[in-house]
């Protein structure tokens, strides 16, 4: 693979540093522009195994609202996001729900859990 | 519910929750939060994406989780809440008139009030898009509430006008739920939201962003059938020959937020025409004694963590006022002013004596993006008070510079604190 320099924006935190990334396919050679060490880790992973936090909703029965928001507890493999969304679409849970309650364990065998992002009281509670 | 309170907070978004907690912790006994929704949390409850709390908790939380932590603490500390209630009026004597289905009409007296009503989205009427008036034109935040809380989709084929954070986040969210987001149009030559959202909401899903583009007209009689997009020049004048018809059934608007200050104005709170929010000092005290303001009601933030920080400061000041009454400043407050490439500065006034107890963070927005190392500097006429370096300055990202105890002598002698952002 030839050596190339790409511009990437670090998404680790809201600062959003613009990084000049020199790499050789999946091999990282040099990073410039990161203002903290997390930028380096981000680029390394982005080149080999890009991941994202995934937030969506699942249906809830008997809750104050018909849906409860859920989120992966850690970044999830980017190429499999739509597969994960498909799996979550089949899930319906019962109110009351507690924050951090596991909604889908070990999602698609990735070892990443999906948990409720808030409490969801039942209707009338 | 009582008739007299030490501190009443209006609104229970991140600013209001933080203000109530800080007031209670600072020693105010009777603290009440009034919220118009049926639960605490405000707009955070519909912001189900992560990215909240990195500054405050050192964790990356979804919006509802961020809110939940504060809500739990509000309950633990025994702060009273009045939900599903509208505040109709507040007076400069800090009488509050509110109404709710549960408690009917109520009149409350507060020793101090914290305004935390947040902001509203700009609508189609405020940006004057010509064309028909079919259904299918919504603000991004309204669509967000439907999709994330109520379980409705606004449409299947979407165009988004405005590259604000909510617009980009909704582009991803609607893609997740099976809609096709045709493109995002932005009239400015640069992104108006955070760069990270451009990456993880648009680039990741191949959603095109067109800068210097806007909607020329909306097409469709009953329902949106298409929008006509057009490129614009520096003066936002459409460039003939660049028109493109984009078939769609929904147009979402993410074209800015306006602080919500109808109540503030009734009480005589003076507003800054640039921010749309109250003039405040470093303790978020407005010009009306005993009335404080925190969060997006003052100016629009891009990070919730900073709203929380402002809420803490306002709540603490409100508690101090409720318990001790007005402080008499020995040194008159120093006005801050927006200098070169700065659109506005909050707070508008700084009491130098405050610097002996705490740092004061001046918050601002730049006028023009500077994609190069810059100085964020504070001057009193020709004298440099303080400055700090930054790698760049972008209008979409709030900029700040901190006054510290060591700056006390210079600040005390200043006539004004003029903030400018210039290349290195």
């Amino acid at each position: 693979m030839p050596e190339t320099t790409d511009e990437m924006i670090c998404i680790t935190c809201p600062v959003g540093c613009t990084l000049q990334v020199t790499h050789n396919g999946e091999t990282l050679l040099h990073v410039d522009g990161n203002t903290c060490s997390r930028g380096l880790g981000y680029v390394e992973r982005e080149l080999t195994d890009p991941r994202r936090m995934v937030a969506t909703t699942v249906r809830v029965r008997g809750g104050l609202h018909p849906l409860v928001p859920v989120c992966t507890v850690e970044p999830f493999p980017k190429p499999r996001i739509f597969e994960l969304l498909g799996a979550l679409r089949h899930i319906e849970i019962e109110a009351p729900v507690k924050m951090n309650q596991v909604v889908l364990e070990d999602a698609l065998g990735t070892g990443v859990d999906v948990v409720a992002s808030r409490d969801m009281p039942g209707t009338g509670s | 519910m009582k008739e007299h309170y030490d501190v009443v907070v209006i609104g229970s978004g991140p600013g209001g929750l933080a203000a109530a907690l800080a007031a209670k912790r600072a020693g105010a006994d009777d603290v009440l939060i009034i919220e118009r929704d049926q639960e605490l949390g405000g707009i955070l409850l519909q912001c189900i994406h992560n990215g909240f709390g990195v500054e405050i908790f050192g964790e990356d939380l979804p919006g509802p989780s961020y809110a939940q932590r504060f809500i739990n603490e509000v309950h633990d500390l025994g702060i009273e809440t009045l939900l599903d209630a509208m505040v109709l009026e507040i007076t400069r004597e800090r009488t509050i008139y509110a109404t709710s289905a549960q408690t009917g009409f109520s009149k409350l007296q507060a020793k101090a009030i914290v305004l935390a009503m947040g902001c509203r989205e700009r609508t189609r009427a405020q940006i004057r898009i010509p064309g028909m008036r079919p259904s299918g034109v919504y603000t991004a935040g309204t669509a967000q509430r439907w999709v994330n809380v109520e379980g409705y989709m606004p449409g299947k084929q979407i165009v988004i006008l405005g590259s604000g954070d909510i617009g980009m986040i909704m582009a991803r969210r609607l893609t997740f739920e099976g809609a096709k987001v045709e493109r995002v149009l932005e009239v400015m030559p640069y992104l108006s939201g955070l760069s990270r959202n451009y990456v993880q909401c648009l680039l990741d899903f191949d959603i095109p962003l067109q800068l210097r583009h806007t909607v020329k007209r909306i097409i469709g009689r009953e329902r949106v059938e298409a929008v006509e997009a057009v490129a614009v020049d520096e003066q936002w004048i459409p460039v003939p020959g660049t028109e493109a018809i984009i078939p769609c059934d929904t147009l979402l608007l993410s074209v800015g937020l306006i602080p919500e200050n109808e109540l503030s104005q009734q009480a005589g709170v003076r507003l800054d025409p640039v921010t749309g929010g109250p003039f405040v000092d470093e303790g978020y005290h407005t010009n009306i004694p005993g009335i404080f303001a925190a969060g997006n009601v003052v100016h629009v933030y891009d990070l919730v963590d900073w709203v929380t920080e402002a809420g803490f400061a306002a709540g603490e000041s409100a508690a101090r006022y409720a318990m001790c009454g007005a402080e008499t400043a020995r040194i008159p407050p120093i006005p801050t002013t927006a200098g070169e490439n700065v659109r506005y500065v909050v707070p508008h006034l700084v009491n130098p004596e405050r610097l002996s107890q705490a740092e004061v963070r001046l918050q601002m927005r730049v006028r023009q993006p500077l994609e190069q190392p810059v100085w964020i500097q504070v001057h009193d006429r020709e004298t440099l008070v303080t400055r700090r370096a930054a790698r760049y300055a972008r209008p979409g990202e709030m900029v700040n510079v901190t006054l510290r105890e060591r700056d006390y002598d210079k600040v005390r002698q200043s006539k004004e604190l003029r903030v400018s952002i210039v290349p290195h």
Side-chain angles (χ1 to χ4, degrees):
Chain A
M1 271 265 207
E3 188 178 312
T4 51
T5 301
D6 290 327
E7 192 160 278
M8 286 169 71
I9 297 169
C10 180
I11 61 167
T12 311
C13 84
V15 173
C17 294
T18 302
L19 313 173
Q20 272 71 43
V21 180
T22 309
H23 63 102
N24 188 345
E26 289 193 352
T27 314
L28 177 61
L29 300 171
H30 184 70
V31 182
D32 219 8
N34 51 315
T35 52
C36 80
S37 58
R38 288 183 298 174
L40 197 63
Y42 169 73
V43 173
E44 276 171 355
R45 177 163 261 192
E46 192 69 7
L47 290 174
T48 54
D49 174 24
R51 289 179 176 238
R52 299 287 184 266
M53 296 293 280
V54 180
T56 184
T57 53
V58 300
R59 272 182 268 255
V60 55
R61 249 192 314 267
L64 175 64
H65 299 298
L67 305 169
V68 65
V70 299
C71 193
T72 54
V73 294
E74 56 189 286
F76 183 85
K78 191 172 124 182
R80 301 187 73 187
I81 289 176
F82 284 93
E83 207 183 324
L84 172 63
L85 293 168
L88 289 168
R89 210 156 277 140
H90 297 293
I91 292 177
E92 186 171 29
I93 58 175
E94 203 76 49
V97 178
K98 292 305 276 182
M99 176 165 68
N100 294 332
Q101 178 179 324
V102 176
V103 166
L104 180 61
E105 206 179 333
D106 183 19
L108 312 179
T110 56
V112 178
D113 289 346
V114 177
V115 302
S117 304
R118 56 165 288 183
D119 292 354
M120 184 58 68
T123 37
S125 70
Chain B
M1 211 169 60
K2 306 182 187 76
E3 282 178 11
H4 293 268
Y5 285 90
D6 294 318
V7 177
V8 174
V9 179
I10 301 171
S12 75
L17 291 170
L21 287 169
K24 188 78 177 181
R25 285 194 210 121
D29 287 326
D30 295 318
V31 179
L32 172 73
I33 302 175
I34 306 179
E35 165 58 47
R36 69 180 164 191
D37 203 348
Q38 53 186 334
E39 54 181 345
L40 299 177
I43 299 303
L44 279 171
L45 300 178
Q46 67 185 56
C47 299
I48 66 166
H49 53 281
N50 66 292
F52 301 92
V54 177
E55 304 281 327
I56 294 264
F57 296 118
E59 287 180 62
D60 184 359
L61 301 170
S65 303
Y66 185 92
Q68 186 87 58
R69 292 195 179 194
F70 292 95
I71 293 168
N72 291 349
E73 215 178 329
V74 160
H75 293 315
D76 290 348
L77 291 187
I79 293 168
E80 282 185 54
T81 61
L82 176 59
L83 301 178
D84 204 3
M86 276 304 281
V87 174
L88 303 175
E89 191 185 345
I90 57 177
T91 70
R92 59 169 66 224
E93 291 77 30
R94 301 180 305 281
T95 305
I96 298 165
Y97 299 96
T99 181
S100 83
Q102 278 214 328
T103 55
F105 183 75
S106 38
K107 180 183 172 191
L108 308 168
Q109 183 62 42
K111 287 182 184 161
I113 292 175
V114 180
L115 305 170
M117 293 88 76
C119 53
R120 283 182 185 240
E121 297 178 277
R122 273 211 183 88
T123 62
R124 176 179 178 178
Q126 283 151 320
I127 56 166
R128 300 193 189 95
I129 305 175
M132 316 281 275
R133 306 190 140 264
S135 68
V137 182
Y138 312 110
T139 58
T142 295
Q144 189 181 42
R145 163 102 194 168
W146 289 349
V147 176
N148 291 346
V149 179
E150 297 178 15
Y152 298 104
M153 283 289 278
K156 296 190 174 103
Q157 201 180 359
I158 321 266
V159 171
I160 298 177
L161 176 60
S163 64
D165 289 314
I166 313 169
M168 293 195 284
I169 284 162
M170 281 312 291
R172 173 179 62 184
R173 185 73 193 110
L174 289 162
T175 304
F176 277 6
E177 291 299 334
K180 173 89 172 77
V181 179
E182 296 295 337
R183 64 183 86 173
V184 175
L185 306 168
E186 169 59 58
V187 73
M188 302 303 284
Y190 48 81
L191 203 64
S192 66
L194 298 176
S195 321
R196 72 185 320 219
N197 284 329
Y198 170 64
V199 176
Q200 56 186 357
C201 298
L202 303 188
L203 273 187
D204 272 4
F205 304 100
D206 300 318
I207 299 167
L209 167 70
Q210 288 185 300
L211 299 175
R212 281 193 202 277
H213 275 71
T214 190
V215 172
K216 191 175 171 189
R217 79 195 156 103
I218 295 168
I219 300 162
R221 184 165 292 279
E222 297 294 321
R223 177 77 195 190
V224 173
E225 289 166 16
V227 298
E228 189 176 337
V230 68
V232 296
D233 65 15
E234 286 76 10
Q235 277 78 50
W236 297 8
I237 310 290
V239 179
T242 62
E243 294 87 354
I245 304 280
I246 313 166
C248 61
D249 59 24
T250 303
L251 174 65
L252 294 190
L253 305 176
S254 177
V255 290
L257 302 166
I258 307 167
E260 167 66 39
N261 276 294
E262 279 175 33
L263 286 176
S264 324
Q265 282 177 293
Q266 285 174 342
V269 170
R270 204 158 69 90
L271 303 186
D272 176 345
V274 180
T275 58
F279 280 98
V280 290
D281 71 9
E282 80 294 331
Y284 296 96
H285 207 170
T286 69
N287 63 307
I288 303 296
I291 300 187
F292 300 78
N296 282 349
V297 78
V298 174
H299 65 138
V300 179
Y301 288 77
D302 36 50
L303 278 194
V304 73
D305 303 67
W306 294 339
V307 169
T308 296
E309 191 181 70
F312 284 150
E316 220 183 286
S317 313
R320 212 178 319 132
Y321 186 95
M323 293 183 295
C324 317
E327 289 169 54
T328 38
R330 282 180 294 131
I331 307 166
I334 319 289
T336 61
T337 55
E340 191 179 336
N341 201 27
V342 173
R343 204 152 65 80
Y344 69 79
V345 183
V346 167
H348 304 78
L349 293 170
V350 174
N351 289 290
E353 278 154 275
R354 190 73 198 142
L355 289 175
S356 60
Q357 299 138 27
E359 296 177 344
V360 172
R361 188 176 296 192
L362 303 181
Q363 309 148 36
M364 69 213 70
R365 289 206 184 259
V366 291
R367 285 182 189 280
Q368 295 297 328
L370 288 173
E371 295 291 340
Q372 55 181 304
V374 294
W375 283 121
I376 303 155
Q377 50 192 21
V378 183
H379 279 93
D380 171 37
R381 288 153 299 178
E382 299 313 312
T383 311
L384 181 68
V385 177
T386 188
R387 68 175 180 179
R388 79 172 180 90
R391 298 181 69 94
Y392 58 80
R394 296 171 184 153
E397 299 174 16
M398 210 172 77
V399 176
N400 55 62
V401 59
T402 305
L403 299 175
R404 297 170 204 282
E405 197 179 349
R406 61 161 193 254
D407 304 319
Y408 171 77
D409 281 329
K410 282 183 184 166
V411 172
R412 189 170 55 95
Q413 289 159 17
S414 296
K415 289 273 177 286
E416 61 160 5
L417 296 167
R418 191 183 72 254
V419 189
S420 54
I421 299 178
V422 296
H424 243 284

